[in-house]
Amino acid sequence: MAPQPNTDTIKVNGRKHEWPNQKISFEEVVNLAFPNPPTGQDVKYEVTYRHGDHKKPQGTLEAGERVKVVDGMIFDVTPTDLS
């Protein structure tokens, strides 16, 4: 399947996704990583990325934050249990 015009290919936990927007939020990345997320009130997520925009090519994305999407960007999402 060919990418749609004006989309970027990103990888989230090793799986490719076509992303049609210029930015992506913490919550959107988590939803791509875990369509059926782990449950429990103490489950939190850590989102890191690399191969991003030249101004900030790598970093950590916190809840409520957004980051500019670059073709080939890689996201790693890890659930953690704070109990």
Side-chain angles (χ1 to χ4, degrees):
M1 176 183 217
Q4 297 296 318
N6 301 321
T7 63
D8 292 303
T9 301
I10 60 173
K11 279 189 180 180
V12 180
N13 286 1
R15 291 185 311 236
K16 287 184 180 180
H17 298 273
E18 297 302 320
W19 192 252
N21 302 318
Q22 291 182 345
K23 292 191 175 188
I24 192 166
S25 71
F26 171 91
E27 291 77 12
E28 290 166 328
V29 174
V30 170
N31 286 335
L32 290 174
F34 297 102
N36 299 305
T39 58
Q41 67 187 58
D42 293 329
V43 176
K44 304 290 182 198
Y45 297 94
E46 178 180 278
V47 176
T48 59
Y49 65 88
R50 57 191 188 278
H51 302 295
D53 182 60
H54 70 278
K55 292 179 183 176
K56 191 169 181 190
Q58 63 185 15
T60 302
L61 198 55
E62 301 291 333
E65 290 183 338
R66 297 172 61 82
V67 66
K68 182 178 178 182
V69 173
V70 175
D71 193 54
M73 200 167 183
I74 298 171
F75 294 88
D76 293 307
V77 183
T78 307
T80 61
D81 187 347
L82 299 177
S83 62

